[in-house]
Amino acid sequence: MNWNRPLAVSLAALTLCGSLAACSGGTADNAQTSALPAAAPVSLSAASAQPAQTKAPKYVFLFIGDGMSYPQIQSTADYLGALADEDYLNAQPSLDDNMGAKLDGPSYLNFMNFETAGSAVTFDSNSFAPDSASTATSISTGHKTYSGTINMDETGSVSYETISEKLKDQLGWKIGVISSVNLNHATPAAFYAHQQSRGSYYEIGLELVDSGFEYFAGGGLLKPTGSDKDKESLYDLAEKAGYNVVTTQAEAEKVTSGPVILIDENLADSSAMAYELDRTDAMWSLADYVEKGIEVLDNDKGFFMMCEGGKIDWACHANDAASTINDTMALADAVQVAIDFAREHADETLILVTGDHETGGLTIGFAGTDYDTYLTLLNRQKISFAKYDSDYVAAYKEKKASFETVLADIETLFGLKTQGKEGDKLVLTEYEQSQLKAAYEKSINGTAASQYEQAEYVLYGTYEPLTVTITHILNNKSGVSFTSYSHTGLPVPVLAEGAGAEVFNGYYDNTAIFSKLAEMLGVK
């Protein structure tokens, strides 16, 4: 199996519209968000009107890039475009003479060429910078709720039925839930669980077992024996309920039917799948789990599959741009599997790609580089922040490694160096070296970088000071930056292709994603 084909960028999707009967003439050139008439009011109501005689799909793929909005998508496309452009570093706006060099522009990800492009507003019942539990609840049930709450109202006394539950109970569809993070984490949980607190991992896991959904795959379950480790294992309960619990790739290869729970063999930080930057060719990707999910779920009645690229969010929280970009690429590869399936089921498949919220306040542009970007510098990062923490920083602390030793590793793993040829953008300035030294002292010796707690948080958030300083410096040298270690209030794209895709045009509330799906599919 092992889905390691090249990244699914725009060329993979350019022929999709012609092969799906429901495209109604969309092309890569006109697949941009339609401008609203100047005088038209923008309605954020979930009850937006549906076009008449919308074709109901039989197979629905919902891809959610956790923490993914326009900046994550565009920075990935720009990065790929920069890597492929021989003129990129010569076509800089600050140069007096570009010698005829011209910027080629981004390499569009496959879903950027989808026929329909909408936007969804993400606020929840208590924040314009919402969390994954509440926003996934909006997408899954059409209801707003408080941050931290999964498929329940603000009082915690009313449960909401999810789109996936409705499709299983009312239409007899098979259901799949995939995530690169934990299967009882907020976003995947929002498609089968009902809890006042997203932190009730064991209780969420019990609902996973009781859901009867045919396919779960990705990261491991958090707190499988409860917070006090005194309860029966969720994995044992799942087996008793009839699930085949699979924990190796060799076993996963043999799976052909459900109900099944596939736990990634190579779990990394917090029992989640590895960051794409750390994944080897021998390890299954998110795309592999989508491919296996189709094999398990495919049937004559229909299926619904939700696939979350959860580590986009985790990378953005840590302000790790290179890991963010690589996991966005991994989501595009997973989408490509659905695109390939859709070619064989041209008028029966709907593919949706969206985010639950934006994370990190990522932006293309940084004060220190003015109008310039040097995105190809991000290619020098060879390891995620999490793996650097576990494999290197932990050893530095134990052995009290010298700053010179640390700098040598930083050059190898991130490309940043103390000296180099004139014009080498990876050479650290004296200011940047002082930032690294202060972060090193904080991480290794616990020495505060500032007398102000507020300043310390702005510098490092809750992350390893040395690691986050390295990624900040590399990000900024590349011409990208983050404003937060948390979520922001940006709208997210809703990109759609296939049967019924046209109803997702417009600018609307995220609850409308559920409403549009429910009306199209005929569930109540």
Side-chain angles (χ1 to χ4, degrees), residues 41 76 79 102 140 271 286 297 329 364 415 421 485 488 490 500 502:
T76 302
Y79 167 77
K102 296 180 181 179
S140 180
S271 295
L286 200 61
L297 297 175
M329 291 159 60
I364 303 166
K421 295 180 180 179
Y485 301 104
T488 70
L490 287 180
E502 66 276 4

Side-chain angles (χ1 to χ4, degrees), residues 67 170 236:
Q170 297 177 33
D236 292 341

Side-chain angles (χ1 to χ4, degrees), residues 89-243:
L89 292 178
N90 294 323
Q92 296 297 327
S94 60
L95 298 182
D96 294 329
D97 183 7
N98 284 342
M99 297 177 290
K102 296 180 181 179
L103 189 67
D104 292 338
S107 293
Y108 279 33
L109 302 179
N110 47 21
F111 51 78
M112 294 172 74
N113 286 298
F114 278 6
E115 61 184 289
T116 294
S119 294
V121 176
T122 64
F123 78 98
D124 68 14
S125 294
N126 62 336
S127 182
F128 285 114
D131 91 320
S132 295
S134 60
T135 51
T137 292
S138 291
I139 294 169
S140 180
T141 72
H143 292 278
K144 295 288 185 183
T145 193
Y146 286 143
S147 292
T149 299
I150 296 174
N151 297 333
M152 299 191 78
D153 74 349
E154 292 83 354
T155 69
S157 61
V158 178
S159 295
Y160 301 130
E161 191 177 15
T162 70
I163 186 68
S164 41
E165 291 170 319
K166 290 177 184 288
L167 290 169
K168 182 174 180 60
D169 295 342
Q170 297 177 33
L171 301 185
W173 281 21
K174 292 186 177 182
I175 308 297
V177 174
I178 304 169
S179 177
S180 60
V181 298
N182 314 96
L183 288 172
N184 54 351
H185 219 262
T187 302
F191 289 85
Y192 63 81
H194 314 80
Q195 295 291 328
Q196 191 168 12
S197 172
R198 61 179 288 175
S200 300
Y201 295 116
Y202 189 80
E203 291 74 18
I204 291 170
L206 292 175
E207 291 197 74
L208 182 153
V209 172
D210 291 340
S211 70
F213 290 0
E214 287 76 12
Y215 184 74
F216 289 97
L221 295 170
L222 287 170
K223 300 186 178 178
T225 56
S227 297
D228 298 324
K229 300 182 180 180
D230 58 351
K231 294 182 169 59
E232 185 172 4
S233 168
L234 291 170
Y235 296 116
D236 292 341
L237 289 171
E239 289 183 336
K240 289 179 181 179
Y243 278 96

Side-chain angles (χ1 to χ4, degrees), residues 252-522:
E253 290 277 7
K254 300 174 185 176
V255 169
T256 58
S257 62
V260 63
I261 300 173
L262 304 185
I263 303 299
D264 191 80
E265 183 177 349
N266 301 284
L267 296 179
D269 50 319
S270 300
S271 295
M273 289 175 63
Y275 282 95
E276 183 68 8
L277 194 57
D278 302 325
R279 187 179 66 83
T280 68
D281 287 347
M283 297 159 60
W284 269 26
S285 66
L286 200 61
D288 287 312
Y289 288 110
V290 173
E291 187 173 338
K292 179 58 69 173
I294 292 171
E295 183 181 356
V296 170
L297 297 175
D298 197 7
N299 71 100
D300 292 336
K301 285 189 176 180
F303 67 74
F304 172 89
M305 181 189 294
M306 191 289 296
C307 175
E308 180 202 22
K311 302 205 82 168
I312 299 170
D313 173 73
W314 290 16
C316 285
H317 275 294
N319 291 181
D320 183 343
S323 291
T324 298
I325 286 169
N326 276 272
D327 268 85
T328 303
M329 291 159 60
L331 184 67
D333 284 339
V335 173
Q336 187 62 41
V337 179
I339 291 172
D340 294 342
F341 174 85
R343 289 197 178 99
E344 303 300 318
H345 303 83
D347 61 347
E348 299 178 303
T349 306
L350 172 66
I351 306 171
L352 292 173
V353 179
T354 189
D356 49 358
H357 53 73
E358 196 276 339
T359 300
L362 175 63
T363 190
I364 303 166
F366 173 64
T369 56
D370 297 321
Y371 292 96
D372 293 322
T373 61
Y374 305 98
L375 299 175
T376 51
L377 299 184
L378 292 171
N379 197 40
R380 297 300 300 274
Q381 183 172 330
K382 305 303 180 186
I383 190 172
S384 73
F385 78 95
K387 192 167 180 61
Y388 183 69
D389 280 351
S390 63
D391 292 9
Y392 289 85
V393 179
Y396 297 156
K397 291 179 179 182
E398 182 181 351
K399 299 176 181 178
K400 293 292 182 180
S402 68
F403 185 52
E404 290 69 29
T405 297
V406 172
L407 284 176
D409 286 340
I410 290 173
E411 181 172 354
T412 300
L413 299 169
F414 298 90
L416 299 171
K417 59 188 101 170
T418 56
Q419 55 187 345
K421 295 180 180 179
E422 185 178 355
D424 188 337
K425 300 297 182 184
L426 287 163
V427 174
L428 295 160
T429 65
E430 289 186 12
Y431 170 59
E432 290 164 344
Q433 290 185 54
S434 71
Q435 287 180 302
L436 277 176
K437 184 64 186 299
Y440 160 84
E441 292 292 346
K442 176 75 171 178
S443 283
I444 309 306
N445 300 313
T447 307
S450 171
Q451 62 178 315
Y452 301 107
E453 184 177 341
Q454 180 180 2
E456 292 269 309
Y457 183 79
V458 170
L459 286 170
Y460 312 128
T462 59
Y463 291 90
E464 190 64 66
L466 176 60
T467 311
V468 79
T469 301
I470 294 169
T471 57
H472 279 165
I473 291 173
L474 182 58
N475 296 345
N476 294 345
K477 282 183 172 294
S478 303
V480 298
S481 187
F482 290 87
T483 67
S484 176
Y485 301 104
S486 302
H487 301 171
T488 70
L490 287 180
V492 294
V494 184
L495 307 170
E497 185 80 17
E502 66 276 4
V503 307
F504 293 94
N505 264 319
Y507 199 108
Y508 41 80
D509 191 81
N510 58 0
T511 53
I513 297 173
F514 165 84
S515 301
K516 292 170 185 290
L517 272 176
E519 185 172 343
M520 177 193 307
L521 299 171

